[in-house]
Amino acid sequence: GTITLATSPTISEVRILVENLGRVNHGRHMASDYKGITKKILINGEEMKRAKVCLLDPLHIKIPKDEKSTAPISAPALYCGEFVGPPKKKDSFLDPTGWEHGFAILNQETLGRYWPGTGPQVTLYTPGVYLTRLNTLCMLEIDKVGDSVAFVAKSNLGLATTKEQLNI
């Protein structure tokens, strides 16, 4: 596809976030499973010749302390917050319902990729040993930021379990 951006003489840098969605590793679609930037990047009709590729490693991003933002919530972006852990460390599940899709990181431990509307699961398993007295949860959101997340006691695997859901 094509994306057209308004340009200005003051713009000196364009950043493109390419998400790793994995690849098909078997069958007839292997040869046509293209991901990422697969065509030329044109700026004002001219091919971009120089590019710098950077790894975005959410586990090594420094989180500024005591920084409050009044900017409107938008994505893609990294959102982090701190919370006090429960007195007893119990296994739980992070429920990102309301968020679109991205990655959840708790205290520098990756909980996994969430994509509640697509699945396969909705909640992410959170081992109790990952929780401390003061915890930092980071959500690397790609599309749409939700209002909040919750740690719940039961998993939501997003599976159809009734005859109606299974269309039987």
Side-chain angles (χ1 to χ4, degrees), residues 24-36:
V24 172
N25 64 359
H26 60 87
R28 62 186 168 119
H29 298 290
M30 274 182 68
S32 61
D33 185 35
Y34 299 109
K35 300 282 192 325

Side-chain angles (χ1 to χ4, degrees):
T2 301
I3 298 173
T4 304
L5 303 173
T7 60
S8 141
T10 60
I11 295 175
S12 62
E13 182 176 82
V14 175
R15 294 182 182 198
I16 302 170
L17 175 64
V18 179
E19 182 185 8
N20 176 5
L21 289 174
R23 300 185 58 82
V24 172
N25 64 359
H26 60 87
R28 62 186 168 119
H29 298 290
M30 274 182 68
S32 61
D33 185 35
Y34 299 109
K35 300 282 192 325
I37 300 171
T38 59
K39 306 243 175 173
K40 297 176 189 176
I41 297 175
L42 303 176
I43 298 176
N44 295 329
E46 295 191 28
E47 183 179 356
M48 185 177 74
K49 299 286 186 188
R50 292 182 12 214
K52 180 179 175 184
V53 178
C54 301
L55 171 68
L56 176 59
D57 184 353
L59 296 179
H60 292 96
I61 293 174
K62 300 292 182 213
I63 311 300
K65 297 291 182 190
D66 299 325
E67 184 176 303
K68 305 256 189 270
S69 174
T70 57
I73 296 174
S74 63
L78 181 68
Y79 295 90
C80 296
E82 291 183 335
F83 65 96
V84 176
K88 293 184 179 179
K89 297 179 184 181
K90 292 183 181 177
D91 292 358
S92 59
F93 298 86
L94 175 71
D95 185 351
T97 300
W99 295 65
E100 188 66 28
H101 90 276
F103 297 87
I105 301 114
L106 175 64
N107 298 329
Q108 301 290 307
E109 298 287 348
T110 302
L111 297 180
R113 175 179 286 165
Y114 61 88
W115 207 339
T118 301
Q121 83 277 355
V122 175
T123 55
L124 297 174
Y125 174 64
T126 306
V129 297
Y130 285 6
L131 294 167
T132 61
R133 188 172 132 358
L134 184 62
N135 300 277
T136 301
L137 176 67
C138 293
M139 306 283 284
L140 176 58
E141 175 57 48
I142 305 299
D143 287 324
K144 179 182 155 248
V145 177
D147 292 328
S148 63
V149 296
F151 288 94
V152 295
K154 293 188 177 185
S155 67
N156 178 350
L157 299 179
L159 301 174
T161 55
T162 66
K163 288 183 178 183
E164 291 80 22
Q165 290 170 319
L166 294 170
N167 294 320
I168 296 176

